Amino acid sequence: MRYSQLDQDVKYLPGVGPQRSELLKRELHIQTWGDLLEYYPYKYIDRSKIYATDELTANTSHVQIRGRILSFEEYDMGVRKKRIVAHFTDGHGVVDLVWFNGRKFIYDQYKVGTEYIVFGKPGIFQGRLQFTHPEIEPAANLQLSSMGLQPYYVTTEKMKKRGLTSRNIERLIKTLIQQLRTPLPETLPDEMTARLHLISHDSACRLIHFPQTNDDVSRARMRLKYEELFYVQLAILRYTNDRRRHYSGYIFNKVGDLFNTFYHDHLPFELTGAQKRVIREIRQDSGSGRQMNRLLQGDVGSGKTLVALMSMLIALDNGYQACIMAPTEILAEQHLATIRKFLGDMPIRVELLTGIVKGKQRKAVLTGLADGSVNILVGTHAVIEDTVEFRNLGFVVIDEQHRFGVAQRARLWNKNVQPPHILVMTATPIPRTLAMTVYGDLDVSVIDELPPGRKPVHTIHQVTNQMSNLYQRIRTEVAQGRQIYFVYPLIEESEKIDLHHLEEGYDLLRETFPDLSISRVHGKMKPAEKEAEMQKFLHRETQILVATTVIEVGVNVPNASVMVIIDAQRFGLSQLHQLRGRVGRGADQSYCILVTPPKLSADTQKRIDIMCETNDGFRIAEADLKLRGPGDLEGTQQSGMAFDLKLANLAQDGQLIGLARTEAQRIIEQDPTCSAAANSLIWNRLNDLKDTTVNWSAIS
C-alpha cells in the first residue's frame, strides 16, 4: 500500500499552511506530501565550488562567490524608483550586486563587513561585472561540501508573487524529506532492482532532489523513469491479458466465395507483400477465437482501404456484417465510392450513413442493418446513434481513429452482445515508443510498401521571394494536363484571418493565371458548395484548387501532381506529411512545394529539412515526437489519453520503454491471473496507482 505519511494534506507540512497549500493545489495540482515529493527539479546547478571574481566574465554561467560588502550606493531611476548597488569583494576583485526593488529588505538583511555567499549569473553594465537580484546567504549558514547540486523547480508567476520561488520549493521539499523518519517502502521487487542495477525507491526520491554529483542525478532519474514506465506497461498488458481471457471473439473459420471471387475477378492490382502479410495477420486473429484489436499503420496511398475491404469480406463470408467509420463526411463518401468501385457487380449491399442521409433513404438503411440485408455500412459519427441497430455486426474498421473519442468508440463496440473484431487504421505513422504506450493493448500491423507504379513525391523548399520559379513550374505541369493544389494555413484563433489569406491567395492566382480555371474550398462553405467545387477539380474542370486544410484527408485526385503549401512554417510535421499525401496518387512524378519566408527559426528549419529529406512517415513521426513532445502530437489528446509521466520522455527513452515492456510482459506470463503471492508488491502498487494515473489501457 502507499506510504500513509505521504497521503497527508500538504498544508500540514511545516512551512506550508492553508494559504500556500491552496496556491500549490491551484497552480501545480500538489495536494499531498506525496505530490510534493514527486514534483521533480527540471535542472541543477553546481553549488560545491566557489569562484574568484577575477575568473568571471559576462559569458560565465551561474556561479557563487564568497566575500564581504564594502559599501552601498543608490541611483535614481525615476519617480519613487531607485537602483541599489552593493560593492562586493572577495579579495580578488570587486563586483556589483544590483537590486531594483526591496530597498528596506536589502538594508535590513545585508550588512557591510559580514561574509556572504553570493549566487547568480554575472553580467556587464557600463564596463563593470554585476549580479542582478542575486541569491545571498550568510557564509556561516552554508556548508559548501554538503551543498552539491542545487535543484531548480518550475514555478508560476502567481507563485513567485506570493513568495513561492524555486528556492522556497526546495526548502519545503528539504523539510518534507527530513520529516520522513523511516525509509520509503520499496515499489519494485528486490530481484528486479538487483538484476537491473537500480537504486532503491527511497534513495531515488531523496537523490533526485538533493544530489551531490551528476552520477546521483543519473541513477535517481533512471530508477524513477523505469518505475513510471514499468507500471504504465504493466497496466496496459494486464488489461490486454484480462480482455483476451474474458472476451472471446467471433470465429471466422472460412474464406468463402465473396473473398475468393473478389480476389480472382475484381482485385484492381497485385497486392504488395506488405498487404498480403497484414491480411494473413487479420485472418489469423479473426479465426483464433479471441477478439481482434489490431492497429493498421500505413502512409497515405499504401492500400489500407483495400486491406480493410478484403478483411470485411471474410466477415461477410462467415455470415456477419461489417462497418467502417470515418471522421468526416467527405472521407466516408470517399470510402463508399472506393469500396463500390472495387466490388463492381458483386452481390454485396454497401450503404452510407452520415448526417446528410435523411428521410426514406435513412429509414431504408436502418431497416437493412436490422434485418441483415445491408452487408457493409460506411458512416461517420451517425453510426453510433441509438437508432442504429445491426443484426450481427462482426467486424469494425475505424479510420483515423484519433479523431473519435473513447466513449464514441465504446458505443460502437456495444452494438452487439459480443464485441466485434476491431481494425483501427491510421495514415499518421505512430513512433514505436508512442505505439507501445498509447496503443499498447493493440497488435500492430504496418503496410510499409507503396503499390507498384507509385513514385515518391519530390519535396522542395521555396522561399517567398522566388515565387516566379514556382509559377513557371505550375505552368509546365498544367501544360502537361496536370492539376495543382494551393493550401493556406488554418489559423484557429481567427477564422476571418484564415479566409482573408485564402481569398487573397485566390485573387493573386487568378491574376497570375488568368487563362486557368480555379476552384476554392474552405471550412466556412456549406457542404454542398464544397462538394461542387471538389467535383469540378475531380473532373478536371478546374486546374487549380485553392484550399485550407479541409483537404487534408478524404480527397483523392490522381491527376493532381503538385501540392503547394503556403506559409508551411505554420504546419506541424504530421500535417505537412498528410497534405503531401494528397499528391503522388497517380503514376506521374509529383511534387510538394513548401513555401516559407526566408528567415526561419532553428526548429522550423529542421521541420522543413526533414520533409525535404524523406517520405518515410515513421521517420517523420519520430522527428515530430522529438521536436514537439508526445502531448502535442495529433491524436494523443483527442483520444482521451493524457500523458502523466513526470520524468520519462517517450521521445527520448525508447530503450527504457522497451525494457519496461519486456519486464512487464515477463510478469504477466508468469502470473496471468495476477494472484501470485510473490508478485503481491507489484499488484498492490499497481492498484494504488490506478486512481492517480490515466487509464492507459482503454484505447480500444
Side-chain angles (χ1 to χ4, degrees):
M1 298 296 289
R2 288 189 72 186
Y3 189 60
S4 59
Q5 195 172 357
L6 295 184
D7 291 331
Q8 291 186 83
D9 193 305
V10 72
K11 70 182 176 185
Y12 297 120
L13 182 70
V16 178
Q19 289 188 339
R20 278 187 163 181
S21 73
E22 283 305 311
L23 196 58
L24 287 169
K25 289 172 187 175
R26 190 168 61 249
E27 294 296 297
L28 301 179
H29 308 294
I30 292 174
Q31 303 195 52
T32 66
W33 289 23
D35 294 337
L36 184 60
L37 190 64
E38 291 181 354
Y39 193 65
Y40 302 124
Y42 73 94
K43 71 173 183 179
Y44 305 86
I45 291 179
D46 189 353
R47 295 295 301 270
S48 61
K49 179 182 177 181
I50 293 289
Y51 285 77
T53 51
D54 57 8
E55 295 180 78
L56 306 182
T57 70
N59 296 321
T60 307
S61 186
H62 288 74
V63 295
Q64 54 192 2
I65 55 178
R66 182 174 189 152
R68 291 177 168 82
I69 294 174
L70 297 173
S71 61
F72 286 96
E73 278 190 82
E74 292 185 12
Y75 301 87
D76 285 326
M77 298 288 291
V79 180
R80 297 169 60 183
K81 289 185 179 180
K82 289 186 181 293
R83 177 170 169 262
I84 304 162
V85 178
H87 304 297
F88 185 90
T89 184
D90 64 349
H92 297 274
V94 177
V95 298
D96 292 339
L97 313 182
V98 180
W99 299 269
F100 293 98
N101 50 49
R103 182 176 184 276
K104 183 177 185 306
F105 173 84
I106 291 161
Y107 287 127
D108 287 346
Q109 198 76 12
Y110 308 128
K111 306 298 180 185
V112 171
T114 302
E115 190 175 38
Y116 294 104
I117 301 286
V118 172
F119 177 76
K121 171 82 171 68
I124 297 284
F125 180 70
Q126 293 183 346
R128 292 175 63 87
L129 274 168
Q130 68 174 27
F131 289 79
T132 304
H133 289 275
E135 292 182 22
I136 303 178
E137 298 223 19
N141 294 356
L142 296 176
Q143 294 182 335
L144 293 179
S145 60
S146 65
M147 284 188 69
L149 302 178
Q150 182 177 349
Y152 275 71
Y153 300 87
V154 173
T155 55
T156 67
E157 286 304 314
K158 287 182 181 178
M159 291 172 66
K160 289 171 185 171
K161 286 177 182 175
R162 300 280 292 276
L164 266 179
T165 61
S166 170
R167 196 64 193 274
N168 286 330
I169 294 284
E170 176 193 346
R171 291 185 179 115
L172 291 177
I173 292 175
K174 184 171 284 186
T175 300
L176 168 57
I177 287 176
Q178 289 169 349
Q179 296 284 316
L180 303 176
R181 304 298 182 189
T182 57
L184 295 168
E186 190 48 77
T187 52
L188 294 172
D190 292 341
E191 175 274 330
M192 185 184 290
T193 55
R195 180 164 45 81
L196 300 179
H197 306 289
L198 299 171
I199 63 174
S200 70
H201 179 73
D202 179 76
S203 296
C205 288
R206 295 171 192 268
L207 284 178
I208 192 86
H209 292 290
F210 301 108
Q212 291 295 308
T213 65
N214 287 322
D215 184 57
D216 287 345
V217 176
S218 297
R219 290 186 301 138
R221 286 176 65 85
M222 178 66 74
R223 160 62 203 242
L224 294 171
K225 279 184 181 184
Y226 172 81
E227 184 175 325
E228 282 184 344
L229 293 169
F230 171 75
Y231 280 108
V232 164
Q233 295 297 332
L234 190 65
I236 291 167
L237 293 174
R238 181 172 73 170
Y239 170 84
T240 307
N241 180 62
D242 286 349
R243 191 194 68 224
R244 287 176 176 171
R245 287 193 302 117
H246 293 113
Y247 291 101
S248 58
Y250 295 118
I251 299 176
F252 298 168
N253 54 19
K254 68 177 181 179
V255 175
D257 292 341
L258 294 176
F259 183 94
N260 287 319
T261 299
F262 178 79
Y263 186 79
H264 294 294
D265 300 336
H266 293 264
L267 196 63
F269 44 76
E270 178 66 24
L271 295 175
T272 64
Q275 286 174 312
K276 291 177 181 177
R277 182 183 69 244
V278 172
I279 291 171
R280 281 196 301 271
E281 290 167 348
I282 292 169
R283 281 182 58 186
Q284 187 174 0
D285 278 356
S286 60
S288 68
R290 66 179 181 85
Q291 186 221 357
M292 181 184 82
N293 277 273
R294 185 165 287 277
L295 172 66
L296 175 57
Q297 298 190 69
D299 267 342
V300 171
S302 61
K304 297 185 300 298
T305 305
L306 183 58
V307 167
L309 173 59
M310 295 179 74
S311 303
M312 291 191 285
L313 291 178
I314 296 174
L316 269 57
D317 273 332
N318 286 272
Y320 294 94
Q321 294 166 295
C323 171
I324 180 165
M325 190 161 77
T328 66
E329 290 183 354
I330 291 177
L331 188 51
E333 289 166 8
Q334 186 76 53
H335 280 314
L336 179 74
T338 302
I339 290 170
R340 283 181 171 170
K341 183 178 177 183
F342 278 150
L343 293 175
D345 59 358
M346 288 184 67
I348 296 172
R349 185 178 172 191
V350 185
E351 295 289 357
L352 178 71
L353 190 64
T354 67
I356 61 173
V357 178
K358 299 183 184 298
K360 289 181 180 179
Q361 187 183 359
R362 187 180 191 86
K363 186 176 180 181
V365 172
L366 295 179
T367 301
L369 290 172
D371 65 23
S373 61
V374 172
N375 306 114
I376 297 175
L377 180 68
V378 182
T380 55
H381 302 77
V383 169
I384 62 175
E385 292 174 4
D386 292 338
T387 55
V388 180
E389 294 182 5
F390 292 84
R391 183 169 180 268
N392 54 352
L393 179 63
F395 197 94
V396 171
V397 180
I398 306 293
D399 195 17
E400 296 299 339
Q401 70 83 40
H402 59 265
R403 298 181 179 220
F404 296 100
V406 172
Q408 289 174 318
R409 294 194 300 271
R411 286 178 66 186
L412 187 54
W413 309 167
N414 294 330
K415 293 290 182 183
N416 253 19
V417 176
Q418 194 168 317
H421 294 298
I422 309 298
L423 181 66
V424 171
M425 300 198 304
T426 180
T428 306
I430 301 157
R432 181 174 171 271
T433 53
L434 198 59
M436 275 196 295
T437 306
V438 180
Y439 299 94
D441 67 323
L442 279 79
D443 298 310
V444 178
S445 292
V446 177
I447 299 180
D448 49 11
E449 296 176 59
L450 288 177
R454 290 280 178 91
K455 294 176 182 174
V457 178
H458 185 42
T459 304
I460 301 164
H461 180 203
Q462 184 96 51
V463 295
T464 47
N465 56 11
Q466 297 175 345
M467 294 298 280
S468 58
N469 295 339
L470 171 61
Y471 295 150
Q472 185 55 49
R473 181 186 295 276
I474 288 168
R475 285 210 171 275
T476 302
E477 291 293 313
V478 171
Q480 294 174 355
R482 313 276 158 60
Q483 291 166 281
I484 318 294
Y485 293 106
F486 264 81
V487 175
Y488 286 79
L490 180 69
I491 303 169
E492 293 179 0
E493 289 80 6
S494 176
E495 292 265 329
K496 290 178 182 176
I497 295 175
D498 165 52
L499 295 179
H500 169 71
H501 283 295
L502 182 141
E503 297 294 348
E504 189 175 60
Y506 177 68
D507 291 339
L508 177 62
L509 289 169
R510 286 204 304 173
E511 288 175 21
T512 308
F513 303 104
D515 52 325
L516 301 183
S517 297
I518 302 176
S519 295
R520 56 183 163 180
V521 175
H522 56 72
K524 287 286 188 179
M525 296 169 69
K526 293 177 180 176
E529 293 175 326
K530 275 193 288 192
E531 182 61 27
E533 290 292 290
M534 284 303 309
Q535 288 298 323
K536 284 183 190 176
F537 191 62
L538 183 60
H539 293 108
R540 305 192 190 186
E541 295 170 25
T542 55
Q543 289 80 48
I544 296 176
L545 175 64
V546 182
T548 57
T549 52
V550 294
I551 64 156
E552 184 182 347
V553 294
V555 178
N556 183 18
V557 183
N559 191 56
S561 63
V562 179
M563 166 65 69
V564 180
I565 304 176
I566 303 295
D567 283 335
Q569 76 279 1
R570 297 194 187 184
F571 297 85
L573 270 174
S574 64
Q575 199 169 33
L576 288 173
H577 185 60
Q578 284 282 318
L579 288 167
R580 178 168 61 184
R582 296 299 107 208
V583 294
R585 304 173 79 85
D588 300 316
Q589 178 63 60
S590 293
Y591 302 89
C592 178
I593 300 171
L594 308 176
V595 179
T596 73
K599 290 186 178 179
L600 300 174
S601 69
D603 276 355
T604 302
Q605 188 63 57
K606 278 184 194 172
R607 288 208 309 275
I608 301 298
D609 290 345
I610 289 163
M611 288 296 298
C612 293
E613 288 165 12
T614 183
N615 286 290
D616 184 336
F618 288 94
R619 270 192 64 194
I620 289 167
E622 291 284 357
D624 207 14
L625 184 59
K626 287 175 182 173
L627 285 170
R628 293 167 62 195
D632 292 331
L633 286 183
E634 185 179 17
T636 56
Q637 299 302 334
Q638 298 97 312
S639 66
M641 313 301 292
F643 291 93
D644 197 28
L645 298 172
K646 294 181 172 63
L647 283 175
N649 184 308
L650 297 182
Q652 298 169 4
D653 296 321
Q655 195 170 0
L656 204 54
I657 293 170
L659 175 63
R661 190 169 183 85
T662 299
E663 291 294 321
Q665 187 68 55
R666 186 175 61 82
I667 297 293
I668 292 290
E669 288 171 358
Q670 289 176 356
D671 186 12
T673 60
C674 310
S675 57
N679 294 323
S680 59
L681 183 152
I682 289 175
W683 300 126
N684 287 339
R685 174 68 174 169
L686 185 59
N687 289 334
D688 288 340
L689 290 172
K690 244 182 176 181
D691 296 332
T692 59
T693 60
V694 294
N695 183 5
W696 294 87
S697 55
I699 191 69
S700 67

